[in-house]
Amino acid sequence: ICTMVNDPRDFVPYLPILLPDLKSTLLDPIPDVRSISAKSLGSLTRGLGEATFPDLRSWLVDTLRSEGGSSVERSGAAQGLVELLVAGGAQLTENVMINEILPLKSHPKPGTREGVLWVLTFLPSVLGQAYSSLIDESL
């Protein structure tokens, strides 16, 4: 998205309109819609920086952990979170995974553990070889 304009900051005034729709499509029942929405969030994060979206990561993690949400919603949140983390770089990805996401794999609530599994489903394909540093912690 940000590559279509000369200056990615041109999108900033439109984020209050764009972000709620991206969040909504991230939780859509159709997998391809969730995938494209997640990639769009990653593209926006890459172009504008995570600081432009101060509450996005916490919203994604909360949705991932939500017991009231469906498996589809946790899947979409996981896809969005993975794209956001990868857009932030290897250091951010490793830090968030080790300190925030992977400790949840032993959470008492099954929905939260399922959210971790969704993250582990999407992360290797997005990270590629860089995922190798997280294999031991993931197991």
Side-chain angles (χ1 to χ4, degrees), residues 25-26 30-40 79 83:
T25 56
L26 195 59
I30 301 170
D32 288 341
V33 173
R34 291 193 308 267
S35 177
I36 297 300
S37 181
K39 289 178 183 173
S40 297
Q79 276 184 291
E83 292 289 343

Side-chain angles (χ1 to χ4, degrees), residues 17-125:
I17 298 166
L18 185 62
L19 209 50
D21 290 335
L22 277 175
K23 285 180 177 181
S24 175
T25 56
L26 195 59
L27 306 179
D28 194 90
I30 301 170
D32 288 341
V33 173
R34 291 193 308 267
S35 177
I36 297 300
S37 181
K39 289 178 183 173
S40 297
L41 282 176
S43 175
L44 282 170
T45 304
R46 231 179 324 284
L48 300 172
E50 190 180 356
T52 308
F53 310 98
D55 300 326
L56 184 57
R57 185 180 354 145
S58 63
W59 177 81
L60 290 166
V61 172
D62 288 346
T63 305
L64 192 69
R65 297 177 62 167
S66 173
E67 281 299 311
S70 69
S71 181
V72 167
E73 291 172 349
R74 284 189 283 277
S75 169
Q79 276 184 291
L81 182 62
V82 165
E83 292 289 343
L84 181 113
L85 293 177
V86 171
Q91 184 68 31
L92 175 69
T93 302
E94 190 169 326
N95 185 32
V96 170
M97 286 300 296
I98 291 172
N99 297 320
E100 293 180 40
I101 303 302
L102 292 176
L104 298 174
K105 68 184 178 185
S106 58
H107 196 276
K109 295 184 179 177
T112 300
R113 292 192 307 268
E114 179 190 22
V116 174
L117 290 174
W118 279 117
V119 171
L120 294 174
T121 299
F122 297 116
L123 193 61
S125 63

